[in-house]
Amino acid sequence: MTARKLFNKYNYLILIIPALLLYTLFIAYPFISSLFLSFFKWPGIGPKLFVGLDNYKNVLTGYMSREFFRALGHNFYFLFLNWTLSIVPGIILALSLAAGIRGSDFFKTIFFIPNTLSIVIVGFLWALLLNPQWGMINQVLKAVGLDVLAKAWLGDTKLALPTIIVITGWRGMGFYVLTFLAAVVGIDHSMLEAGRIDGASENQIIFKLVLPQMVPIITTVTILKIIWSFNIFDIVFAMEGTQGGPAGSTDVLGTLFYRIAFGGLGSSQVGMGLGATVVTLIFLIVFPVSVLYIYIIERRELRG
Amino acid sequence: MFRLNTLQKTVILTILIIWALVNLFPLGVMVVSGFKTTREIFLSPFSFPAHWSFKSYKEAWSVANFSTYFKNSIIVTIVSITATLFIASMAAYVLARFEFPGRRALYLFILAGLVLPVRLAIIPIFLLIRKLGLSNTLVSLYIVYTAGGISFSTFLLTNFFKSIPMDIEDAARIDGASYFRVYWQIHLPLLRPALATVTVFNFIRVWNDFFFPLIFINDNTKKTIPLGIQNFFGEYSIQWDLLFAGLNIAVIPIIIFFIILSKQFIGGLTEGAIK
């Protein structure tokens, strides 16, 4: 085939070039480049020094390891608690909305409002509301005689991280409710009718027919949650600052990375290479889950 | 969908009302506090302000550069969403409508971006932006937001394209229309509902993003709302009336916008964009 004929046959491919170019240059290439950078010592300017696995040694067993594993633990804790706080209430609220009560459109709108707000703004708002002295939350608790519960929510090393996770859950709930609701509404009604004809109670219908149908969406949401949980940054930054205070009790991989790569530690530790190492390690945690997600999407698509 | 007796209906309604209050209470406190003085916020937290005054709003608006932040946020959102819509829909057209060697690999390559959090690649992106001389410009934000929106948007639109019958297009091709014209005149109009969903998702992502401006932008005149708010909170940390007023300024337009368009927003989610 001549070049001209080839061009005529495939000239529609021109339409995909802008997407491909932008995506390759600004998403795909940086991922690979980041991996390379993790083998170098480099403060961001000047020559790069190849150091082999030194960055990894420093992060995993060396002077950064204590901070790294503490942050990693916090990310896992975040994932676990945030998952629990989103999935179960999310399903309950979705089923409630699906029940066919009047005004459910109104509730859907209300539930989604926090989701439309920027995470940092949510963080700043709640930091004011949770202020130990003047914040609304403690003022309410004191007013109803629950003074013992009026804690320093964001200033206590034991309470700060759970508090942040609850706030994250508050903001995100609308998304989970609506996503679950889509799955519930999508269930074939004739199947539920058939169940009723066979004498199933409404409880049985929910537990034996509806919930099993929701397993795929729960899987998807869980996967997305794993990916997101290892990327949290904004909410901690807004509520506790780049140091992940108090005393590092809310420090996560995102804030640790930010300090290393973009300042906030002392100059000796600031480094693009070391930062790239932390990011690569996060990537290694997320990657298997990501592959699983793509696999699931693909399989569902092939099935139609 | 479920058959319920009165008691069950009451329980469900109660659950819904409680959660609605949990959503609305903090926002209500925020709105009312914006009209109070700092003294009132501290000393009489449960009362409405003695005088409903816009003083804090005016002050917050002028001291905090909000007009600049708003302008920047609006420009960045419009430019990057428009670019994403065109670029992703053209890509989706090719991926959904044509069979060519490597199509599947290309599709998977772009799909990978769905689950690669762009933030993890921030160092090289930052270096690239710096090398291109785009640090501290809004252009840097157009680029990352557009690039970051390609995977999800292409994925969603490809699926939608597949649901449009092929005959329309064959007829047009026989009449001699170019591929671009088929895409532009036949597909884009049919694609409108899907484009609305894509717009909604990208809107929330771009309008609210804090991370990329934090890394790219230093100049106060180039900041978007989330970064501007951070700046503002650093400077006026004890003037709570200003802080609440500032939060309201940042938040209320977006809430109103959402309520007006809530059908599109919620429709996009409940029609199963996430599966």
Side-chain angles (χ1 to χ4, degrees):
Chain A
M1 218 186 287
T2 65
R4 195 181 167 74
K5 267 191 183 157
L6 257 181
F7 176 78
N8 281 339
K9 189 170 173 206
Y10 293 118
N11 65 3
Y12 55 81
L13 286 177
I14 291 172
L15 294 176
I16 203 176
I17 285 176
L20 208 54
L21 214 62
L22 207 56
Y23 174 75
T24 307
L25 190 59
F26 285 94
I27 310 286
Y29 155 76
F31 266 95
I32 295 164
S33 173
S34 196
L35 181 67
F36 274 102
L37 205 53
S38 71
F39 299 110
F40 290 86
K41 189 181 169 71
W42 190 48
I45 34 167
K48 298 184 180 92
L49 180 69
F50 182 79
V51 291
L53 290 172
D54 273 12
N55 287 331
Y56 288 91
K57 277 183 205 145
N58 286 335
V59 171
L60 293 174
T61 58
Y63 69 98
M64 292 296 298
S65 67
R66 204 186 57 85
E67 262 178 291
F68 176 79
F69 284 106
R70 184 181 65 187
L72 182 67
H74 291 159
N75 282 92
F76 271 108
Y77 180 63
F78 194 101
L79 169 62
F80 173 74
L81 190 56
N82 186 249
W83 189 90
T84 317
L85 288 177
S86 312
I87 301 289
V88 178
I91 290 174
I92 292 174
L93 287 167
L95 290 174
S96 305
L97 284 174
I101 280 181
R102 246 185 294 162
S104 62
D105 277 345
F106 167 77
F107 285 115
K108 278 184 225 170
T109 307
I110 302 284
F111 292 176
F112 199 69
I113 287 177
N115 244 281
T116 62
L117 310 179
S118 172
I119 299 175
V120 270
I121 289 178
V122 167
F124 287 132
L125 169 62
W126 278 98
L128 292 180
L129 297 175
L130 290 167
N131 180 290
Q133 233 181 324
W134 307 117
M136 194 62 162
I137 301 297
N138 280 2
Q139 304 241 34
V140 169
L141 289 171
K142 284 175 195 158
V144 295
L146 292 169
D147 297 49
V148 267
L149 287 180
K151 309 267 189 189
W153 302 101
L154 297 170
D156 182 315
T157 50
K158 285 207 178 63
L159 284 175
L161 189 56
T163 304
I164 289 177
I165 296 170
V166 170
I167 303 307
T168 309
W170 177 81
R171 181 196 181 256
M173 188 62 80
F175 172 81
Y176 300 109
V177 173
L178 293 184
T179 308
F180 289 141
L181 180 62
V184 179
V185 174
I187 293 172
D188 188 359
H189 282 224
S190 60
M191 192 185 78
L192 305 186
E193 279 311 314
R196 287 193 185 103
I197 291 166
D198 290 344
S201 69
E202 289 301 301
N203 273 338
Q204 282 172 322
I205 298 245
I206 288 176
F207 283 100
K208 299 237 165 94
L209 294 177
V210 176
L211 285 183
Q213 296 275 321
M214 292 179 71
V215 171
I217 189 71
I218 294 172
T219 311
T220 304
V221 166
T222 303
I223 289 174
L224 290 174
K225 262 195 176 307
I226 295 173
I227 297 169
W228 292 340
S229 292
F230 285 95
N231 281 287
I232 39 164
F233 171 75
D234 304 35
I235 190 81
V236 179
F237 183 100
M239 299 184 89
E240 301 284 4
T242 54
Q243 301 291 332
S249 60
T250 59
D251 197 20
V252 287
L253 293 171
T255 41
L256 175 67
F257 162 75
Y258 180 79
R259 289 200 303 277
I260 296 173
F262 296 100
L265 271 181
S267 57
S268 66
Q269 286 177 348
V270 174
M272 294 295 186
L274 200 60
T277 307
V278 172
V279 167
T280 306
L281 290 168
I282 301 176
F283 179 70
L284 288 178
I285 298 169
V286 172
F287 184 69
V289 191
S290 305
V291 172
L292 181 68
Y293 184 57
I294 300 286
Y295 172 76
I296 290 174
I297 291 182
E298 265 291 282
R299 211 183 44 178
R300 281 181 200 160
E301 255 176 43
L302 291 179
R303 267 205 234 133
Chain B
M1 192 160 176
F2 304 114
R3 288 192 193 149
L4 304 163
N5 60 37
T6 321
L7 176 69
Q8 287 163 323
K9 272 188 186 159
T10 317
V11 171
I12 286 175
L13 194 63
T14 313
I15 294 175
L16 293 175
I17 289 174
I18 288 175
W19 185 248
L21 289 176
V22 173
N23 279 297
L24 291 178
F25 175 72
L27 300 172
V29 171
M30 177 182 76
V31 172
V32 173
S33 301
F35 290 98
K36 291 173 156 184
T37 61
T38 300
R39 204 182 140 76
E40 280 177 316
I41 295 171
F42 285 174
L43 298 180
S44 42
F46 304 119
S47 64
F48 285 109
H51 305 281
W52 291 82
S53 133
F54 280 95
K55 195 176 139 288
S56 315
Y57 285 87
K58 281 183 198 146
E59 203 179 334
W61 180 268
S62 59
V63 296
N65 275 325
F66 269 111
S67 52
T68 314
Y69 303 150
F70 260 96
K71 200 185 73 199
N72 290 339
S73 276
I74 291 171
I75 297 174
V76 167
T77 307
I78 291 177
V79 172
S80 22
I81 290 183
T82 313
T84 308
L85 287 179
F86 280 120
I87 292 176
S89 60
M90 288 195 296
Y93 171 57
V94 173
L95 289 169
R97 289 311 215 195
F98 300 97
E99 201 45 65
F100 53 92
R103 191 201 70 90
R104 214 179 119 75
L106 203 60
Y107 181 61
L108 285 176
F109 175 61
I110 291 181
L111 207 60
L114 263 186
V115 283
L116 298 177
V118 190
R119 293 170 173 212
L120 293 185
I122 185 63
I123 293 179
I125 297 177
F126 169 76
L127 298 173
L128 205 58
I129 292 289
R130 200 172 66 177
K131 206 181 269 174
L132 294 170
L134 295 173
S135 304
N136 237 335
T137 64
L138 295 184
V139 180
S140 66
L141 298 177
Y142 308 155
I143 294 177
V144 284
Y145 292 147
T146 307
I150 287 176
S151 289
F152 180 71
S153 313
T154 306
F155 169 67
L156 218 75
L157 292 170
T158 305
N159 283 339
F160 196 84
F161 257 117
K162 285 181 177 160
S163 67
I164 303 176
M166 203 72 165
D167 332 355
I168 314 175
E169 163 179 349
D170 292 341
R173 285 288 297 160
I174 289 164
D175 290 344
S178 72
Y179 290 116
F180 184 78
R181 266 191 62 194
V182 173
Y183 152 78
W184 185 256
Q185 292 189 331
I186 298 180
H187 285 304
L188 268 195
L190 287 173
L191 219 53
R192 222 175 283 153
L195 292 176
T197 304
V198 170
T199 305
V200 161
F201 274 95
N202 282 307
F203 178 83
I204 295 181
R205 178 179 67 91
V206 172
W207 180 270
N208 287 333
D209 182 61
F210 171 69
F211 187 68
F212 289 105
L214 178 71
I215 305 290
F216 295 156
I217 311 283
N218 284 315
D219 189 346
N220 225 346
T221 62
K222 302 284 167 52
K223 286 178 181 168
T224 53
I225 295 170
L227 187 59
I229 276 279
Q230 189 242 337
N231 207 31
F232 181 62
F233 264 69
E235 268 176 65
Y236 296 91
S237 56
I238 46 163
Q239 283 171 274
W240 280 36
D241 56 334
L242 289 191
L243 296 184
F244 275 114
L247 283 174
N248 283 322
I249 292 172
V251 151
I252 288 174
I254 196 76
I255 294 183
I256 291 173
F257 182 72
F258 162 68
I259 290 174
I260 294 170
L261 289 176
S262 65
K263 268 217 166 69
Q264 276 76 9
F265 272 78
I266 290 168
L269 272 168
T270 46
E271 273 150 29
I274 311 282
K275 282 180 186 163

